[in-house]
Amino acid sequence: MSSVSSYFNRNRPQSVPQGPTQIEITNALKPLFAYFDDNFAIMNQTLTSAAMIMVMSRLWKEVLVTIEVLLVPPLSDKLSQQRPLTQQELDIVFKWLQLLFDFFHAVDDETGEANGVPLDVLKSPKYHDIQSLNFFYFESTENLIRTSERMASATAARQQAHRNRLSAPASLSSPSFGGAAGLMGMPSTRRSKSIMLSRNLGTMKKAKEEKRKEAQADPNDDMILRILRMRPEAEKYLKDRSRQKERLAAAAAAEMIVRQSLVAGGGRMLGATPRR
């Protein structure tokens, strides 16, 4: 990816009356595509199709990280020395992203069948975060701070609602009792565990998919904060927002410790049987 990262340094004239053509933008990636093709051909001789897709998927994650680094600095509460891209440079990066996306998806021109990384892997939360940069990149600092505050409030509300659900008392009518409850037609503890395990295995993929969709539908403000690192006027807000995140994280960690302690204590009480 070094050839991609150094593209701007090699092609940045003092004045840019006209941007590079689509052919020039594509040609900048040709050495990278040739490198991928050569290595994929070698791996394809020894790896199974599933293993090949797994390798390509992991490589796609590295591609997204590299694209991300071109656009914004890492998350921090301090200003960055990284220079924001111009509109023309931003357009080039997103054209690169689309070219790389199509390359890894590997759709056959004749059959239309995708032979590469599946769309649900390509369109990961990281991919959607990068896409959001295209929307926020040139927003005014005032609008970015306002949007960050709104996202932070929404995130805090979701986390609180999630904690409230976790801390809700279990239903007393839950069919998880053995002994006399089994005689009354209620399933035994062993059977209940088997049912729960079966349900967990049956819904694991669905839960993972819902979590992925939730991450895409509810973006946090990290990307906005990374843009703000390149805005000197946002220095105070970056520090304030960082302290706020630290307080929320500490409170959530403390609450988790208390909840785990209560659950562990309850388990010991239920496990203790009186001696006769």
Side-chain angles (χ1 to χ4, degrees), residues 121-135:
V121 176
L122 290 171
K123 294 184 177 181
S124 62
K126 174 70 71 178
Y127 174 82
H128 284 275
D129 283 344
I130 292 175
Q131 290 290 347
S132 72
L133 287 173
N134 199 17
F135 179 78

Side-chain angles (χ1 to χ4, degrees), residues 50-67:
M52 189 68 190
I53 295 299
M54 183 181 69
V55 171
M56 293 177 66
S57 299
R58 296 190 66 175
L59 188 56
W60 172 247
K61 293 179 181 179
E62 296 299 321
V63 168
L64 291 180
V65 170
T66 302
I67 292 290

Side-chain angles (χ1 to χ4, degrees), residues 1-256:
M1 300 297 287
S2 59
S3 61
V4 174
S5 302
S6 61
Y7 177 81
F8 291 140
N9 294 329
R10 298 197 312 266
N11 297 274
R12 184 178 292 153
Q14 296 299 321
S15 59
V16 188
Q18 184 178 359
T21 64
Q22 182 63 43
I23 294 177
E24 292 172 329
I25 294 172
T26 303
N27 286 342
L29 293 182
K30 276 191 173 181
L32 180 63
F33 288 152
Y35 175 80
F36 284 157
D37 282 333
D38 291 344
N39 285 274
F40 289 164
I42 295 173
M43 288 187 290
N44 198 38
Q45 296 175 3
T46 57
L47 297 179
T48 64
S49 297
M52 189 68 190
I53 295 299
M54 183 181 69
V55 171
M56 293 177 66
S57 299
R58 296 190 66 175
L59 188 56
W60 172 247
K61 293 179 181 179
E62 296 299 321
V63 168
L64 291 180
V65 170
T66 302
I67 292 290
E68 186 180 48
V69 169
L70 288 174
L71 295 169
V72 287
L75 194 64
S76 172
D77 62 344
K78 297 179 176 61
L79 294 178
S80 172
Q81 297 299 316
Q82 181 170 332
R83 181 188 66 81
L85 302 182
T86 65
Q87 181 66 67
Q88 185 181 109
E89 292 169 339
L90 187 73
D91 293 341
I92 291 172
V93 170
F94 277 97
K95 288 178 180 178
W96 281 341
L97 179 60
Q98 185 59 51
L99 289 168
L100 288 160
F101 184 98
D102 295 339
F103 178 85
F104 276 84
H105 195 35
V107 175
D108 189 290
D109 293 334
E110 295 182 357
T111 65
E113 181 182 356
N115 300 310
V117 181
L119 282 177
D120 64 329
V121 176
L122 290 171
K123 294 184 177 181
S124 62
K126 174 70 71 178
Y127 174 82
H128 284 275
D129 283 344
I130 292 175
Q131 290 290 347
S132 72
L133 287 173
N134 199 17
F135 179 78
F136 292 119
Y137 207 79
F138 295 107
E139 280 287 306
S140 68
T141 300
E142 181 181 354
N143 286 343
L144 288 178
I145 291 176
R146 188 181 302 114
T147 304
S148 171
E149 291 174 337
R150 185 166 60 249
M151 284 185 172
S153 298
T155 299
R158 287 195 303 271
Q159 292 174 346
Q160 184 60 50
H162 179 66
R163 289 195 294 268
N164 290 342
R165 287 197 299 270
L166 291 178
S167 60
S171 173
L172 295 178
S173 60
S174 176
S176 58
F177 301 96
L183 297 175
M184 296 170 62
M186 300 177 68
S188 65
T189 303
R190 179 176 299 179
R191 184 183 174 191
S192 297
K193 289 182 178 179
S194 299
I195 294 173
M196 291 177 65
L197 179 60
S198 176
R199 289 175 179 174
N200 287 340
L201 292 175
T203 60
M204 190 176 296
K205 289 185 178 180
K206 182 178 179 181
K208 185 176 181 180
E209 177 67 15
E210 289 177 351
K211 185 176 181 181
R212 182 182 66 84
K213 290 181 179 180
E214 182 180 352
Q216 295 174 1
D218 299 318
N220 57 41
D221 65 332
D222 285 354
M223 283 299 178
I224 291 179
L225 295 174
R226 293 171 71 170
I227 296 174
L228 290 174
R229 286 198 63 204
M230 300 182 288
R231 308 283 182 89
E233 63 273 21
E235 183 175 14
K236 183 179 183 301
Y237 178 75
L238 287 171
K239 294 184 181 300
D240 292 343
R241 181 73 180 95
S242 178
R243 286 193 290 266
Q244 181 189 33
K245 293 177 73 171
E246 289 174 358
R247 288 195 299 269
L248 290 174
E255 187 172 350
M256 179 63 70

